Amino acid sequence: MSVWRTMLVALGVAALHAGCATNPRLVEAGDDAEVAAYEVDPQIEWSRQQARDLEIWTVNGVQLEQLRLYSDVESADSLFPQRQGASARAEPEERPRFRPDMRAHDVMELVQATLAQSGALDISVTQLRPANFGDRPGFRFDLALTAPSGLAYRGLAAGAVKDERLQLILFLAAEPHYYPRYAPVVRRIIKSVHFP
Amino acid sequence: MAPNGFEQVWTGLLLRVENEAQLASVLGHEAAHFVRRHSLERFKTTERTAGLLMATQVGLFAGGVGGVNVGPVGVSTGDIGRLIATGYLAAYSREQEAEADDVGFEMMAEAGYAPGEAAAVWEQLMAEQQACDLPEPPALFSSHPPSEERLQTLKARARQSGREGATHRQRFLEATLPHRAEWLRMELNTGRFCRTRVLIERLIEDGANVGELHNFHGEVFRLRDEEGDRQRAIEAYSKAVAHASAPARTYRELGRVLWRDGRPEAARRAFEQYLEAAGAADDAAMIRRYLEQLL
């Protein structure tokens, strides 16, 4: 299994296992879904796994599209766990971690460096812009990257730092079909964010 | 180098060689592993190892420990097998390395490159490894550990050959400089800041597009964020903007560090300079938001 697949599947799921995740269950369209710190309107049905500060939603499988909903990421937390297969003898990588004083550019860099260390290639982050996340002043940006297999992915992110904790929605999907199919849905989900 | 002669060249290598002759020496060394069938022998050994590992895993699975998540990343017997196999793949024998040095040296010298550059590239790698007290060389060279003995042998061969040759430095720079900023960004994303700092300091000494390099020097300190790093980053960005090759984003990064360092007035000035230099940048609206917050 490639490092990229490891990131998409094993690391994501393992992160959930490490956080005592629930078994996958259905998010039903129509009712608001509570994601620890905030609530969203899921718009459509999703398969959902959740742990302490992360939920991963997907329709067709995490290698095709995944919606990562982070809530209350605390100081020194990372967005993905240590990757598998890293040599114990190698120089330890400085894992990108959240700091409460991070601003929009810092969070964008945090996401970019995390994806790079997870094996993604040719990562580009663009269109960083101010946008409310719920009622909080926040940011949005767009992503594009290539998996080592050559498959192109696109993505988008939205978030805010609230009470020194990061609230972040990160969507990644295969560029052919899956990104254009689900990106409008994800944009509506982001628009629906509200803090109880 | 794959057993069928397919060779991957990583951008980390392109950042770490100073001229075409140094690149030719590494490519020659790798090609020699193929020509002398080292990579094929390694492939066959791996096949045998994989068979053994599969048998071991079947045994472990039968014993009830297969695929068990034991930690935050879920290490399984399959992963252990893969790790062992990778470690096994990483090694060429000492004799194979010496032979590849020898044959690769001949190839690059025959092609008209300066023979002395073969030793220089390994010397630079060893300097990087020693400066950062690394337990092993950078990943792309992990299967070819440089040693003092190999270095001295290559130096002696260059002296004894009596040949002179070209480095083709200018041609190398023309081909690589347009891509270097992107490669340095990828290097930074590895999070291996000591190694990246040593590399950038050597490139600054080398003297091509130093404005861009001082910018990346600042980036190392800003991202590493250890005691004193904010001031180091500010100094590096300030040096960068004195050169025409400094990218406009240098002002933005300077503003971010100054803001974090509790210097809002100076941060404002830097952000305004960024907007002036790159007003059409796709993050201009975010920077204008920062400026409102800094009022």
Side-chain angles (χ1 to χ4, degrees):
Chain A
M1 186 183 285
S2 70
V3 172
W4 177 247
R5 283 188 65 195
T6 302
M7 187 213 86
L8 288 178
V9 186
L11 290 191
V13 176
L16 292 168
H17 283 310
C20 303
T22 60
N23 288 324
R25 56 194 176 87
L26 193 67
V27 181
E28 296 196 22
D31 296 327
D32 277 1
E34 192 179 324
V35 191
Y38 51 90
E39 292 178 1
V40 295
D41 176 349
Q43 306 287 325
I44 58 171
E45 287 184 349
W46 299 82
S47 170
R48 169 192 205 180
Q49 271 203 293
Q50 61 189 123
R52 186 177 57 86
D53 61 359
L54 169 64
E55 295 204 9
I56 299 178
W57 295 7
T58 184
V59 177
N60 301 285
V62 290
Q63 289 185 63
L64 296 174
E65 85 280 308
Q66 57 175 276
L67 183 63
R68 303 175 75 94
L69 301 110
Y70 293 90
S71 55
D72 284 342
V73 176
E74 294 180 3
S75 180
D77 283 353
S78 56
L79 300 181
F80 291 104
Q82 183 77 39
R83 78 177 177 196
Q84 283 179 308
S87 164
R89 292 178 301 137
E91 181 193 12
E93 295 165 334
E94 295 286 339
R95 291 192 57 69
R97 294 177 189 282
F98 174 68
R99 289 191 326 265
D101 65 351
M102 279 186 161
R103 298 187 173 95
H105 278 85
D106 303 308
V107 175
M108 186 172 74
E109 273 178 357
L110 172 70
V111 170
Q112 184 180 16
T114 301
L115 289 168
Q117 288 195 11
S118 303
L121 304 167
D122 299 329
I123 306 164
S124 95
V125 283
T126 53
Q127 302 293 326
L128 176 64
R129 55 205 184 272
N132 274 11
F133 187 83
D135 59 355
R136 304 290 302 182
F139 54 84
R140 287 195 199 175
F141 58 89
D142 300 325
L143 294 136
L145 54 88
T146 307
S149 65
L151 182 60
Y153 284 77
R154 284 185 66 191
L156 55 93
V161 177
K162 179 176 181 281
D163 301 329
E164 302 199 328
R165 292 173 179 196
L166 176 64
Q167 321 297 332
L168 179 72
I169 294 179
L170 175 62
F171 175 63
L172 284 171
E175 187 172 20
H177 180 72
Y178 295 93
Y179 183 80
R181 168 72 183 83
Y182 293 103
V185 176
V186 172
R187 288 195 189 96
R188 289 199 297 275
I189 290 175
I190 290 168
K191 228 173 167 180
S192 76
V193 168
H194 59 278
F195 292 96
Chain B
M1 171 60 68
N4 65 355
F6 174 80
E7 188 167 346
Q8 290 182 39
V9 177
W10 292 9
T11 56
L13 169 64
L14 297 174
L15 285 171
R16 285 172 170 80
V17 292
E18 291 176 345
N19 55 49
E20 209 174 281
Q22 291 183 7
L23 179 60
S25 79
V26 177
L27 297 184
H29 176 98
E30 286 297 326
H33 279 307
F34 172 66
V35 170
R36 293 299 167 101
R37 295 178 168 253
H38 302 160
S39 41
L40 189 62
E41 283 169 32
R42 196 169 63 153
F43 176 72
K44 286 177 177 169
T45 309
T46 304
E47 267 192 327
R48 287 193 294 274
T49 311
L52 180 67
L53 284 168
M54 192 177 292
T56 309
Q57 284 181 33
V58 169
L60 288 169
F61 186 76
V65 294
V68 177
N69 280 337
V70 294
V73 296
V75 178
S76 69
T77 50
D79 301 317
I80 292 165
R82 211 161 28 248
L83 286 175
I84 295 169
T86 307
Y88 206 85
L89 255 180
Y92 282 118
S93 72
R94 192 186 170 95
E95 291 72 26
Q96 286 174 330
E97 287 297 347
E99 190 178 21
D101 276 348
D102 210 39
V103 175
F105 179 88
E106 277 304 315
M107 285 180 179
M108 64 99 71
E110 279 294 315
Y113 288 111
E117 297 300 308
V121 66
W122 294 111
E123 204 159 30
Q124 286 153 208
L125 276 175
M126 285 175 70
E128 197 175 310
Q129 192 180 347
Q130 283 161 7
C132 298
D133 199 19
L134 302 180
E136 61 182 31
L140 64 160
F141 297 101
S142 59
S143 60
H144 309 83
S147 69
E148 191 58 37
E149 183 192 339
R150 288 178 68 186
L151 191 64
Q152 293 310 326
T153 306
L154 283 170
K155 279 185 175 174
R157 284 220 55 175
R159 279 196 304 272
Q160 289 157 8
S161 75
R163 290 175 179 161
E164 293 195 359
T167 63
H168 288 304
R169 173 175 160 79
Q170 195 53 37
R171 202 161 71 180
F172 176 79
L173 289 177
E174 282 166 14
T176 56
L177 284 182
H179 308 285
R180 196 175 66 181
E182 188 188 344
W183 298 341
L184 283 168
R185 174 58 58 188
M186 289 194 266
E187 179 81 22
L188 270 178
N189 280 338
T190 64
R192 291 167 174 155
F193 297 127
C194 177
R195 184 181 296 176
T196 306
R197 181 178 58 78
V198 172
L199 166 68
I200 290 171
E201 285 168 2
R202 191 172 58 71
L203 290 172
I204 289 172
E205 272 179 38
D206 203 34
N209 283 10
V210 289
E212 174 187 89
L213 293 168
H214 282 300
N215 167 267
F216 277 105
H217 203 210
E219 290 289 84
V220 170
F221 295 124
R222 182 178 66 79
L223 293 167
R224 189 176 70 173
D225 198 30
E226 290 177 0
E227 178 83 30
D229 275 352
R230 279 183 216 164
Q231 191 51 37
R232 292 185 193 99
I234 290 165
E235 285 166 14
Y237 293 136
S238 303
K239 278 185 193 168
V241 294
H243 296 269
S245 63
R249 64 174 181 275
T250 311
Y251 289 111
R252 180 187 67 198
E253 314 313 4
L254 178 60
R256 291 169 64 192
V257 180
L258 288 165
W259 195 3
R260 199 158 168 241
D261 205 41
R263 297 154 72 177
E265 274 308 308
R268 264 190 72 82
R269 279 197 299 279
F271 285 138
E272 283 165 354
Q273 283 172 303
Y274 171 64
L275 289 179
E276 201 173 304
D282 67 2
D283 61 350
M286 197 76 235
I287 298 296
R288 281 194 282 272
R289 174 66 60 88
Y290 292 165
L291 286 170
E292 288 166 19
Q293 292 169 6
L294 280 164
L295 276 176

PDB file of all heavy atoms in Angstrom, chain B residues 11 17 24 35 39 80 99 102 109 119 126 129 135-136 143 165 176 200-202 231 234 241 254 265 272 285-286:
ATOM      1  N   THR B  11      13.922  15.636  -6.669  1.00  0.00           N
ATOM      2  CA  THR B  11      14.300  17.051  -6.663  1.00  0.00           C
ATOM      3  C   THR B  11      15.305  17.363  -5.556  1.00  0.00           C
ATOM      4  O   THR B  11      16.075  18.303  -5.661  1.00  0.00           O
ATOM      5  CB  THR B  11      13.059  17.948  -6.498  1.00  0.00           C
ATOM      6  OG1 THR B  11      12.361  17.572  -5.310  1.00  0.00           O
ATOM      7  CG2 THR B  11      12.129  17.820  -7.699  1.00  0.00           C
ATOM      8  N   VAL B  17      23.167  19.149  -5.917  1.00  0.00           N
ATOM      9  CA  VAL B  17      24.341  19.160  -6.796  1.00  0.00           C
ATOM     10  C   VAL B  17      24.515  20.576  -7.349  1.00  0.00           C
ATOM     11  O   VAL B  17      23.548  21.305  -7.532  1.00  0.00           O
ATOM     12  CB  VAL B  17      24.215  18.137  -7.956  1.00  0.00           C
ATOM     13  CG1 VAL B  17      24.260  16.717  -7.413  1.00  0.00           C
ATOM     14  CG2 VAL B  17      22.945  18.346  -8.762  1.00  0.00           C
ATOM     15  N   ALA B  24      25.981  14.183 -13.146  1.00  0.00           N
ATOM     16  CA  ALA B  24      26.434  13.064 -13.992  1.00  0.00           C
ATOM     17  C   ALA B  24      27.120  11.991 -13.153  1.00  0.00           C
ATOM     18  O   ALA B  24      26.981  10.797 -13.424  1.00  0.00           O
ATOM     19  CB  ALA B  24      27.388  13.579 -15.065  1.00  0.00           C
ATOM     20  N   VAL B  35      24.106  -1.601 -14.944  1.00  0.00           N
ATOM     21  CA  VAL B  35      24.984  -2.237 -15.929  1.00  0.00           C
ATOM     22  C   VAL B  35      25.647  -3.478 -15.338  1.00  0.00           C
ATOM     23  O   VAL B  35      25.766  -4.507 -15.993  1.00  0.00           O
ATOM     24  CB  VAL B  35      26.052  -1.216 -16.410  1.00  0.00           C
ATOM     25  CG1 VAL B  35      27.128  -1.893 -17.244  1.00  0.00           C
ATOM     26  CG2 VAL B  35      25.381  -0.107 -17.200  1.00  0.00           C
ATOM     27  N   SER B  39      21.256  -4.156  -9.318  1.00  0.00           N
ATOM     28  CA  SER B  39      19.835  -3.936  -9.003  1.00  0.00           C
ATOM     29  C   SER B  39      19.023  -5.195  -9.291  1.00  0.00           C
ATOM     30  O   SER B  39      18.050  -5.482  -8.595  1.00  0.00           O
ATOM     31  CB  SER B  39      19.284  -2.728  -9.762  1.00  0.00           C
ATOM     32  OG  SER B  39      19.752  -2.698 -11.085  1.00  0.00           O
ATOM     33  N   ILE B  80       5.112  -4.746   9.400  1.00  0.00           N
ATOM     34  CA  ILE B  80       6.435  -5.173   9.846  1.00  0.00           C
ATOM     35  C   ILE B  80       7.174  -5.828   8.684  1.00  0.00           C
ATOM     36  O   ILE B  80       8.333  -5.538   8.412  1.00  0.00           O
ATOM     37  CB  ILE B  80       6.311  -6.150  11.043  1.00  0.00           C
ATOM     38  CG1 ILE B  80       5.767  -5.385  12.262  1.00  0.00           C
ATOM     39  CG2 ILE B  80       7.654  -6.782  11.375  1.00  0.00           C
ATOM     40  CD1 ILE B  80       5.276  -6.271  13.382  1.00  0.00           C
ATOM     41  N   GLU B  99      32.253  -0.945  -6.724  1.00  0.00           N
ATOM     42  CA  GLU B  99      32.245  -1.183  -8.163  1.00  0.00           C
ATOM     43  C   GLU B  99      31.447  -0.102  -8.889  1.00  0.00           C
ATOM     44  O   GLU B  99      31.847   0.383  -9.953  1.00  0.00           O
ATOM     45  CB  GLU B  99      31.665  -2.573  -8.464  1.00  0.00           C
ATOM     46  CG  GLU B  99      31.845  -2.973  -9.921  1.00  0.00           C
ATOM     47  CD  GLU B  99      31.307  -4.366 -10.214  1.00  0.00           C
ATOM     48  OE1 GLU B  99      30.462  -4.861  -9.444  1.00  0.00           O
ATOM     49  OE2 GLU B  99      31.720  -4.950 -11.234  1.00  0.00           O
ATOM     50  N   ASP B 102      33.402   3.008  -9.134  1.00  0.00           N
ATOM     51  CA  ASP B 102      34.445   2.838 -10.137  1.00  0.00           C
ATOM     52  C   ASP B 102      33.896   2.997 -11.560  1.00  0.00           C
ATOM     53  O   ASP B 102      34.392   3.798 -12.351  1.00  0.00           O
ATOM     54  CB  ASP B 102      35.000   1.409  -9.957  1.00  0.00           C
ATOM     55  CG  ASP B 102      36.440   1.340 -10.351  1.00  0.00           C
ATOM     56  OD1 ASP B 102      37.163   2.302 -10.054  1.00  0.00           O
ATOM     57  OD2 ASP B 102      36.826   0.336 -10.992  1.00  0.00           O
ATOM     58  N   ALA B 109      33.638  10.573 -16.539  1.00  0.00           N
ATOM     59  CA  ALA B 109      34.879  11.116 -17.073  1.00  0.00           C
ATOM     60  C   ALA B 109      34.934  10.940 -18.597  1.00  0.00           C
ATOM     61  O   ALA B 109      35.336  11.849 -19.326  1.00  0.00           O
ATOM     62  CB  ALA B 109      36.075  10.415 -16.406  1.00  0.00           C
ATOM     63  N   ALA B 119      33.872  13.356  -6.290  1.00  0.00           N
ATOM     64  CA  ALA B 119      34.108  13.377  -4.845  1.00  0.00           C
ATOM     65  C   ALA B 119      33.359  14.539  -4.197  1.00  0.00           C
ATOM     66  O   ALA B 119      32.858  14.426  -3.073  1.00  0.00           O
ATOM     67  CB  ALA B 119      35.602  13.498  -4.569  1.00  0.00           C
ATOM     68  N   MET B 126      28.129  14.507   3.002  1.00  0.00           N
ATOM     69  CA  MET B 126      28.669  14.181   4.317  1.00  0.00           C
ATOM     70  C   MET B 126      28.644  15.403   5.216  1.00  0.00           C
ATOM     71  O   MET B 126      28.362  15.297   6.410  1.00  0.00           O
ATOM     72  CB  MET B 126      30.095  13.635   4.181  1.00  0.00           C
ATOM     73  CG  MET B 126      30.121  12.215   3.657  1.00  0.00           C
ATOM     74  SD  MET B 126      31.785  11.610   3.351  1.00  0.00           S
ATOM     75  CE  MET B 126      32.411  11.444   5.022  1.00  0.00           C
ATOM     76  N   GLN B 129      25.168  15.794   6.531  1.00  0.00           N
ATOM     77  CA  GLN B 129      24.868  14.748   7.513  1.00  0.00           C
ATOM     78  C   GLN B 129      25.543  15.070   8.849  1.00  0.00           C
ATOM     79  O   GLN B 129      24.940  14.950   9.916  1.00  0.00           O
ATOM     80  CB  GLN B 129      25.372  13.404   6.972  1.00  0.00           C
ATOM     81  CG  GLN B 129      24.883  12.200   7.747  1.00  0.00           C
ATOM     82  CD  GLN B 129      25.418  10.906   7.149  1.00  0.00           C
ATOM     83  OE1 GLN B 129      25.949  10.889   6.041  1.00  0.00           O
ATOM     84  NE2 GLN B 129      25.286   9.827   7.886  1.00  0.00           N
ATOM     85  N   PRO B 135      21.685  10.411  11.877  1.00  0.00           N
ATOM     86  CA  PRO B 135      22.098   9.016  11.999  1.00  0.00           C
ATOM     87  C   PRO B 135      22.278   8.337  10.645  1.00  0.00           C
ATOM     88  O   PRO B 135      22.939   7.323  10.535  1.00  0.00           O
ATOM     89  CB  PRO B 135      20.949   8.371  12.779  1.00  0.00           C
ATOM     90  CG  PRO B 135      19.767   9.257  12.540  1.00  0.00           C
ATOM     91  CD  PRO B 135      20.303  10.637  12.322  1.00  0.00           C
ATOM     92  N   GLU B 136      21.647   8.877   9.603  1.00  0.00           N
ATOM     93  CA  GLU B 136      21.812   8.298   8.270  1.00  0.00           C
ATOM     94  C   GLU B 136      21.712   9.411   7.240  1.00  0.00           C
ATOM     95  O   GLU B 136      21.205  10.497   7.527  1.00  0.00           O
ATOM     96  CB  GLU B 136      20.776   7.211   7.987  1.00  0.00           C
ATOM     97  CG  GLU B 136      19.340   7.681   8.015  1.00  0.00           C
ATOM     98  CD  GLU B 136      18.350   6.534   7.785  1.00  0.00           C
ATOM     99  OE1 GLU B 136      18.643   5.400   8.169  1.00  0.00           O
ATOM    100  OE2 GLU B 136      17.285   6.814   7.210  1.00  0.00           O
ATOM    101  N   SER B 143      20.624   4.351   0.484  1.00  0.00           N
ATOM    102  CA  SER B 143      21.150   3.064   0.043  1.00  0.00           C
ATOM    103  C   SER B 143      22.601   3.200  -0.426  1.00  0.00           C
ATOM    104  O   SER B 143      23.204   2.246  -0.874  1.00  0.00           O
ATOM    105  CB  SER B 143      20.282   2.490  -1.088  1.00  0.00           C
ATOM    106  OG  SER B 143      20.276   3.371  -2.173  1.00  0.00           O
ATOM    107  N   GLY B 165      37.986  18.196 -17.349  1.00  0.00           N
ATOM    108  CA  GLY B 165      36.669  18.129 -17.980  1.00  0.00           C
ATOM    109  C   GLY B 165      35.854  19.342 -17.605  1.00  0.00           C
ATOM    110  O   GLY B 165      36.308  20.215 -16.870  1.00  0.00           O
ATOM    111  N   THR B 176      17.889  24.612 -14.039  1.00  0.00           N
ATOM    112  CA  THR B 176      17.279  24.334 -12.721  1.00  0.00           C
ATOM    113  C   THR B 176      16.717  25.561 -12.007  1.00  0.00           C
ATOM    114  O   THR B 176      15.731  25.432 -11.271  1.00  0.00           O
ATOM    115  CB  THR B 176      18.301  23.655 -11.778  1.00  0.00           C
ATOM    116  OG1 THR B 176      19.464  24.488 -11.685  1.00  0.00           O
ATOM    117  CG2 THR B 176      18.680  22.279 -12.291  1.00  0.00           C
ATOM    118  N   ILE B 200      20.482  25.423   2.302  1.00  0.00           N
ATOM    119  CA  ILE B 200      20.263  26.790   1.832  1.00  0.00           C
ATOM    120  C   ILE B 200      21.495  27.655   2.096  1.00  0.00           C
ATOM    121  O   ILE B 200      21.881  28.471   1.250  1.00  0.00           O
ATOM    122  CB  ILE B 200      18.996  27.389   2.495  1.00  0.00           C
ATOM    123  CG1 ILE B 200      17.756  26.675   1.937  1.00  0.00           C
ATOM    124  CG2 ILE B 200      18.905  28.888   2.254  1.00  0.00           C
ATOM    125  CD1 ILE B 200      16.470  27.007   2.643  1.00  0.00           C
ATOM    126  N   GLU B 201      22.147  27.452   3.233  1.00  0.00           N
ATOM    127  CA  GLU B 201      23.344  28.242   3.521  1.00  0.00           C
ATOM    128  C   GLU B 201      24.451  27.946   2.499  1.00  0.00           C
ATOM    129  O   GLU B 201      25.185  28.843   2.095  1.00  0.00           O
ATOM    130  CB  GLU B 201      23.800  28.002   4.966  1.00  0.00           C
ATOM    131  CG  GLU B 201      22.873  28.728   5.952  1.00  0.00           C
ATOM    132  CD  GLU B 201      23.052  28.326   7.404  1.00  0.00           C
ATOM    133  OE1 GLU B 201      23.936  27.489   7.684  1.00  0.00           O
ATOM    134  OE2 GLU B 201      22.287  28.835   8.256  1.00  0.00           O
ATOM    135  N   ARG B 202      24.537  26.699   2.070  1.00  0.00           N
ATOM    136  CA  ARG B 202      25.533  26.360   1.038  1.00  0.00           C
ATOM    137  C   ARG B 202      25.154  26.994  -0.299  1.00  0.00           C
ATOM    138  O   ARG B 202      25.995  27.515  -1.026  1.00  0.00           O
ATOM    139  CB  ARG B 202      25.649  24.842   0.891  1.00  0.00           C
ATOM    140  CG  ARG B 202      26.836  24.422   0.038  1.00  0.00           C
ATOM    141  CD  ARG B 202      27.072  22.943   0.055  1.00  0.00           C
ATOM    142  NE  ARG B 202      25.931  22.172  -0.407  1.00  0.00           N
ATOM    143  CZ  ARG B 202      25.532  22.127  -1.675  1.00  0.00           C
ATOM    144  NH1 ARG B 202      26.153  22.827  -2.600  1.00  0.00           N
ATOM    145  NH2 ARG B 202      24.493  21.388  -2.016  1.00  0.00           N
ATOM    146  N   GLN B 231      13.654  36.347  15.282  1.00  0.00           N
ATOM    147  CA  GLN B 231      14.625  37.389  14.946  1.00  0.00           C
ATOM    148  C   GLN B 231      15.494  36.935  13.767  1.00  0.00           C
ATOM    149  O   GLN B 231      15.773  37.719  12.860  1.00  0.00           O
ATOM    150  CB  GLN B 231      15.485  37.716  16.173  1.00  0.00           C
ATOM    151  CG  GLN B 231      16.343  38.959  16.008  1.00  0.00           C
ATOM    152  CD  GLN B 231      15.565  40.188  15.541  1.00  0.00           C
ATOM    153  OE1 GLN B 231      14.415  40.425  15.935  1.00  0.00           O
ATOM    154  NE2 GLN B 231      16.180  40.963  14.642  1.00  0.00           N
ATOM    155  N   ILE B 234      13.452  37.370  10.664  1.00  0.00           N
ATOM    156  CA  ILE B 234      13.335  38.784  10.282  1.00  0.00           C
ATOM    157  C   ILE B 234      14.622  39.252   9.593  1.00  0.00           C
ATOM    158  O   ILE B 234      14.588  39.935   8.564  1.00  0.00           O
ATOM    159  CB  ILE B 234      13.014  39.646  11.532  1.00  0.00           C
ATOM    160  CG1 ILE B 234      11.582  39.347  12.000  1.00  0.00           C
ATOM    161  CG2 ILE B 234      13.208  41.135  11.253  1.00  0.00           C
ATOM    162  CD1 ILE B 234      11.252  39.846  13.393  1.00  0.00           C
ATOM    163  N   VAL B 241      15.036  41.087   0.830  1.00  0.00           N
ATOM    164  CA  VAL B 241      14.378  42.173   0.093  1.00  0.00           C
ATOM    165  C   VAL B 241      15.371  43.194  -0.460  1.00  0.00           C
ATOM    166  O   VAL B 241      15.006  44.047  -1.259  1.00  0.00           O
ATOM    167  CB  VAL B 241      13.284  42.880   0.935  1.00  0.00           C
ATOM    168  CG1 VAL B 241      12.139  41.923   1.219  1.00  0.00           C
ATOM    169  CG2 VAL B 241      13.855  43.480   2.204  1.00  0.00           C
ATOM    170  N   LEU B 254       7.539  38.390   6.181  1.00  0.00           N
ATOM    171  CA  LEU B 254       8.138  39.317   7.156  1.00  0.00           C
ATOM    172  C   LEU B 254       7.036  39.905   8.029  1.00  0.00           C
ATOM    173  O   LEU B 254       7.160  39.968   9.256  1.00  0.00           O
ATOM    174  CB  LEU B 254       8.904  40.413   6.402  1.00  0.00           C
ATOM    175  CG  LEU B 254       9.564  41.513   7.231  1.00  0.00           C
ATOM    176  CD1 LEU B 254      10.588  40.922   8.206  1.00  0.00           C
ATOM    177  CD2 LEU B 254      10.263  42.519   6.312  1.00  0.00           C
ATOM    178  N   GLU B 265       3.149  47.759  14.064  1.00  0.00           N
ATOM    179  CA  GLU B 265       3.431  48.838  13.106  1.00  0.00           C
ATOM    180  C   GLU B 265       4.322  48.343  11.971  1.00  0.00           C
ATOM    181  O   GLU B 265       4.061  48.581  10.792  1.00  0.00           O
ATOM    182  CB  GLU B 265       4.104  50.012  13.827  1.00  0.00           C
ATOM    183  CG  GLU B 265       3.119  50.992  14.446  1.00  0.00           C
ATOM    184  CD  GLU B 265       2.065  51.456  13.434  1.00  0.00           C
ATOM    185  OE1 GLU B 265       2.450  51.912  12.342  1.00  0.00           O
ATOM    186  OE2 GLU B 265       0.856  51.340  13.738  1.00  0.00           O
ATOM    187  N   GLU B 272       1.748  46.110   3.713  1.00  0.00           N
ATOM    188  CA  GLU B 272       1.464  47.117   2.676  1.00  0.00           C
ATOM    189  C   GLU B 272       2.462  46.991   1.516  1.00  0.00           C
ATOM    190  O   GLU B 272       2.084  47.121   0.347  1.00  0.00           O
ATOM    191  CB  GLU B 272       1.512  48.528   3.292  1.00  0.00           C
ATOM    192  CG  GLU B 272       0.247  48.830   4.084  1.00  0.00           C
ATOM    193  CD  GLU B 272       0.383  50.048   4.999  1.00  0.00           C
ATOM    194  OE1 GLU B 272       1.498  50.600   5.114  1.00  0.00           O
ATOM    195  OE2 GLU B 272      -0.637  50.412   5.617  1.00  0.00           O
ATOM    196  N   ALA B 285      -7.073  39.778  -0.415  1.00  0.00           N
ATOM    197  CA  ALA B 285      -8.206  40.108   0.462  1.00  0.00           C
ATOM    198  C   ALA B 285      -7.910  39.718   1.908  1.00  0.00           C
ATOM    199  O   ALA B 285      -8.294  40.422   2.847  1.00  0.00           O
ATOM    200  CB  ALA B 285      -9.463  39.389  -0.033  1.00  0.00           C
ATOM    201  N   MET B 286      -7.210  38.602   2.074  1.00  0.00           N
ATOM    202  CA  MET B 286      -6.869  38.151   3.447  1.00  0.00           C
ATOM    203  C   MET B 286      -5.878  39.129   4.076  1.00  0.00           C
ATOM    204  O   MET B 286      -5.992  39.459   5.261  1.00  0.00           O
ATOM    205  CB  MET B 286      -6.258  36.749   3.371  1.00  0.00           C
ATOM    206  CG  MET B 286      -6.237  36.004   4.680  1.00  0.00           C
ATOM    207  SD  MET B 286      -7.861  35.351   5.133  1.00  0.00           S
ATOM    208  CE  MET B 286      -8.042  36.058   6.747  1.00  0.00           C
TER     209      MET B 286
END
